[in-house]
Amino acid sequence: MNAENTSRRAFMSRLGLGALSIGAIAAVQACGKGGGDAPKCDDLTGVSDADKATRTALKYVDNSADPAKVCGKCQLYTAPEGGAACGGCKVIKGPIAPTGNCQSFAPKAA
Ligand code: SF4
């Protein structure tokens, strides 16, 4: 085996590892998970521009900075159905993470 073949083999090996890394990243993104434990609920397909503006104006985020104020503990939250990661909201249209938050947070009655 000459040096050129060894170099080509090393290059192909690195190329394969790179492809695996890209595949792993794509798989994580495809499963709908964002950073940490927060699901990524940002597919706004079918949401009107006005509803997107409301989402922005109320500063909705998938991952609340305050664990006591998450959508899952908000009386306006509607739980996901059929095993989905994202639920809904009576105020904000589009997918809503149970770990999310916005300025209209209203705690559920104890
Ligand atoms: S009102 Fe805000 S905090 Fe409450 S469920 Fe909707 S998005 Fe979450």
Side-chain angles (χ1 to χ4, degrees):
M1 185 177 318
N2 63 30
E4 184 178 326
N5 282 344
T6 302
S7 176
R8 186 178 301 148
R9 183 170 292 160
F11 172 75
M12 294 303 281
S13 177
R14 275 185 249 136
L15 188 65
L17 288 175
L20 281 174
S21 298
I22 291 169
I25 291 167
V28 168
Q29 289 176 337
C31 80
K33 287 285 185 182
D37 292 332
K40 195 171 181 202
C41 299
D42 61 355
D43 181 359
L44 299 179
T45 304
V47 176
S48 73
D49 287 346
D51 288 332
K52 288 177 188 171
T54 299
R55 195 176 175 100
T56 301
L58 292 177
K59 301 189 184 324
Y60 170 77
V61 293
D62 283 344
N63 200 0
S64 174
D66 183 347
K69 294 181 179 179
V70 295
C71 295
K73 295 178 180 176
C74 177
Q75 61 183 278
L76 301 169
Y77 183 67
T78 56
E81 294 178 0
C86 306
C89 173
K90 295 174 184 168
V91 175
I92 295 179
K93 303 293 185 224
I96 300 292
T99 53
N101 173 266
C102 86
Q103 290 183 337
S104 290
F105 176 79
K108 288 180 181 174

